[in-house]
């Protein structure tokens, strides 16, 4: 029983050490791609605000990055809606270095996170 308790405490300590401390940016730099014409556009959106890109509206809820490393791994919580549709096309965390991990699935547009902003 003592060995089991020691194992559980060791696993819990390892999981806590693996969590990275983050800072919150004031917004996010996103890149939108119109797949129909092949145009990519950079979009700077402040947290809590929205922007239109073609026929979609992108809202940045939050953007975070590793503490003390603004150029590091950014991840943002986004809501993407098609104009005139209440149900989001995408709602969730998107990671800058791994956009395919939680991709937005839209027939015409693609959006991914470049980095967090602090201005």
């Amino acid at each position: 029983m003592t060995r089991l308790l020691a194992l559980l405490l060791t696993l819990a300590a390892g999981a806590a050490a693996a969590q990275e401390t983050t800072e919150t940016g004031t917004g996010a730099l996103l890149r939108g791609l119109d797949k129909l014409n092949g145009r990519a556009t950079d979009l700077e959106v402040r947290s809590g605000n929205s922007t239109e890109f073609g026929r979609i509206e992108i809202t940045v809820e939050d953007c975070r990055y590793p503490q003390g490393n603004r150029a590091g791994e950014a991840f943002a919580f986004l809501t993407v809606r098609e104009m005139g549709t209440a149900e989001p096309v995408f709602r969730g965390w998107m990671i800058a270095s791994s956009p395919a991990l939680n991709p937005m699935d839209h027939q015409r547009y693609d959006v991914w996170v470049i980095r967090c902003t602090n201005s």
Side-chain angles (χ1 to χ4, degrees), residues 47-58:
S47 293
N49 291 336
S50 301
T51 191
E52 292 180 7
F53 176 66
R55 297 203 30 84
I56 60 173
E57 178 185 67
I58 306 160

Side-chain angles (χ1 to χ4, degrees), residues 44-94:
E44 191 169 329
V45 186
R46 293 185 62 79
S47 293
N49 291 336
S50 301
T51 191
E52 292 180 7
F53 176 66
R55 297 203 30 84
I56 60 173
E57 178 185 67
I58 306 160
T59 304
V60 174
E61 305 290 336
D62 194 6
C63 193
R64 300 181 187 177
Y65 58 92
Q67 185 174 20
N69 184 5
R70 288 186 195 169
E73 180 66 77
F75 49 103
F77 192 87
L78 307 176
T79 301
V80 181
R81 288 188 170 83
E82 194 160 2
M83 301 292 189
T85 306
E87 191 65 29
V89 174
F90 176 85
R91 181 169 172 80
W93 290 98
M94 197 175 284

Side-chain angles (χ1 to χ4, degrees), residues 10-29:
T10 303
L11 290 174
Q19 293 179 358
E20 190 169 2
T21 305
T22 62
E23 294 183 35
T24 302
T26 58
L29 178 63

